[in-house]
Amino acid sequence: MSLKSTLFAAVAAAALAMPAFAGDIMVHDPYARASTKMSTSGAAFMVLMNHSAEDDRLVSASSDVAQRVELHTHMEDANGVMKMMEVEEGFPVPAGGEHALARGGDHVMFLGLNQPFNQGDLISVTLTFEKAGDVVVEIPVDLERKPMHGGQMKHQHGTPSAGD
Ligand SMILES: [Cu+2]
């Protein structure tokens, strides 16, 4: 065996033995918002990218800014009304792929805000992945961001509202 191929074998063995790094997960363009200054809940949106060769999954999120942090999605009920619900199994992020959390779809939900979300605030959120483990992201509050696809969904949390 030449020196070169010995080195190559050693590097390959080391690479195989390595666990998934949190660095394999990239969080792209995160932002958080609340509907109004009086809101007791808020949400965060971002694109999760998985640069590893293994499928991963966002299983939970936590933060000091709210009493509870949940993974939510929107579903249309039998009457065609969009409702939010918790996604207990979390959001899959395929190997080499991505999963977008966006307005009107999947999101990280903050319930019972400990402080109002002010424009420009940075919110520290820990995202826990099945394989990559904990990834801490600093998410800027952006109250001015428009939804990507024009039509904004009515997004009512907690209190059922009549005729909304
Ligand atoms: Cu929600």
Side-chain angles (χ1 to χ4, degrees), residues 128-149:
T128 304
F129 292 85
E130 207 168 66
K131 307 254 173 56
D134 287 353
V135 178
V136 178
V137 269
E138 301 292 322
I139 302 180
V141 171
D142 187 349
L143 304 175
E144 288 156 12
R145 184 87 72 105
K146 298 282 180 283
M148 213 75 100
H149 308 288

Side-chain angles (χ1 to χ4, degrees), residues 72 84 107 109 155 157:
H72 275 196
M84 291 203 318
H107 54 280
M109 186 86 227
H155 192 150
H157 293 120

Side-chain angles (χ1 to χ4, degrees), residues 42-43 70 72-74 84-85 107-111 155 157:
E70 295 179 354
H72 275 196
T73 194
H74 282 91
M84 291 203 318
M85 50 199 334
H107 54 280
V108 174
M109 186 86 227
F110 305 99
L111 297 162
H155 192 150
H157 293 120

